[in-house]
Amino acid sequence: FDDSHPTHLSVAIPALREYGFRGTFMINPSTPDPQSPDRRRRSSSFHAHRGAWEACARRGDQELANHTLHHEGASGDASMDREIGGASKAIWDLAPGKSKLLALNLGGGTYWETTRTLRYYLDKYHLFPASGSLGMDDVYGDRVAAFRRHLERHVEAGGWCRIHFHDIGENRASSEANFRAALDVAKEHEPHLWIAGLADVYKYQTERRASRLALENATPHRVLLRLSCATDHALYDQPLTVELS
């Protein structure tokens, strides 16, 4: 869910809780700057609803992710560091004591100028890039059917299916009816899905690749296994699953 729209708080999150789903909310956690000539910097949709976002972070059933401070790009290293790093720090403040690993999406229609590689900022602020998802704005046409096809292909292949929404409601990017219809499709396929936040899935995949399961000892009545994982436990805190048969 992109851009920390107020409808994410009023429509999306209540619906996700109703269905028992977890979503990822790409927020722009800027604070108002009354001295700025740019109207977007003088006001902040996130700041106007900060209390609700804080409550969401405390509850912990939804995931927050880095969509940069203002969603307006950057011109130079200092500006890029401020936009990316400032957003990460704001999210860390909302969820103290939790893993600092976050998904990052720089946002469509933005221009970023820097002498450094993106990897520099990813490493500095404990981020991983999150892009490549099916857009669910109604303007694209027949989104519910498109999502069903998209999801079923991923279920068949055993892959990671990602879709994204903007604002939701009447005369918004996605109607609430279509949003709920997409949730119904996901609910229909729920026995075959793990519906999780972007960071949850990324952590699990990374941990699984970095893990080793070894047989320590075995007798006719007892088996001792050792599971080790080479990832940083402070960042990669998603529980792994071991299936025995």
Side-chain angles (χ1 to χ4, degrees):
F1 296 84
D2 284 358
D3 308 334
S4 45
H5 285 286
T7 57
H8 295 167
L9 295 166
S10 61
V11 179
I13 291 175
L16 289 172
R17 288 172 175 163
E18 177 186 331
Y19 280 75
F21 293 167
R22 179 171 170 85
T24 299
F25 291 83
M26 294 278 177
I27 62 173
N28 308 110
S30 60
T31 56
D33 181 0
Q35 304 302 318
S36 174
D38 190 322
R39 182 188 61 80
R40 289 172 296 179
R41 288 185 178 270
R42 291 199 304 270
S43 62
S44 167
S45 174
F46 177 88
H47 185 78
H49 301 276
R50 182 179 179 87
W53 287 112
E54 289 176 343
C56 179
R58 286 194 301 270
R59 184 161 174 173
D61 61 336
Q62 306 300 320
E63 182 180 298
L64 303 184
N66 188 326
H67 205 39
T68 74
L69 273 180
H70 298 91
H71 199 303
E72 59 187 31
S75 56
D77 295 346
S79 176
M80 186 154 184
D81 195 277
R82 183 169 56 252
E83 284 294 312
I84 295 175
S88 278
K89 292 172 183 176
I91 295 171
W92 298 342
D93 288 343
L94 288 170
K98 295 186 179 180
S99 168
K100 291 185 174 182
L101 187 69
L102 304 171
L104 169 70
N105 188 311
L106 295 178
T110 56
Y111 177 76
W112 300 84
E113 180 183 332
T114 178
T115 64
R116 301 186 176 108
T117 64
L118 180 61
R119 173 52 55 188
Y120 169 86
Y121 300 98
L122 296 176
D123 291 343
K124 182 175 181 179
Y125 294 110
H126 309 301
L127 298 161
F128 65 93
S131 59
S133 56
L134 178 70
M136 294 295 289
D137 290 1
D138 292 345
V139 69
Y140 297 129
D142 207 5
R143 289 296 84 193
V144 178
F147 170 52
R148 180 182 292 277
R149 293 191 298 269
H150 188 65
L151 178 61
E152 290 176 350
R153 284 196 300 268
H154 282 79
V155 170
E156 183 177 354
W160 185 1
C161 178
R162 292 180 283 192
I163 63 174
H164 69 268
F165 290 89
H166 291 99
D167 50 340
I168 300 166
E170 186 178 357
N171 299 319
R172 302 285 184 173
S174 299
S175 70
E176 185 173 356
N178 283 345
F179 171 57
R180 284 185 167 271
L183 296 183
D184 287 336
V185 171
K187 197 70 175 179
E188 176 186 335
H189 292 78
E190 191 174 19
H192 307 290
L193 304 177
W194 175 36
I195 300 174
L198 291 173
D200 299 333
V201 179
Y202 181 82
K203 289 175 186 178
Y204 190 93
Q205 290 182 334
T206 303
E207 290 164 5
R208 182 172 177 174
R209 289 193 295 267
S211 295
R212 298 292 181 270
L213 186 64
L215 177 64
E216 291 279 298
N217 195 5
T219 71
H221 304 290
R222 181 172 178 267
V223 174
L224 178 62
L225 302 173
R226 180 179 298 277
L227 176 65
S228 59
C229 185
T231 55
D232 181 348
H233 295 175
L235 297 176
Y236 291 86
D237 57 357
Q238 179 65 38
L240 289 172
T241 301
V242 178
E243 294 184 358
L244 303 176
S245 61

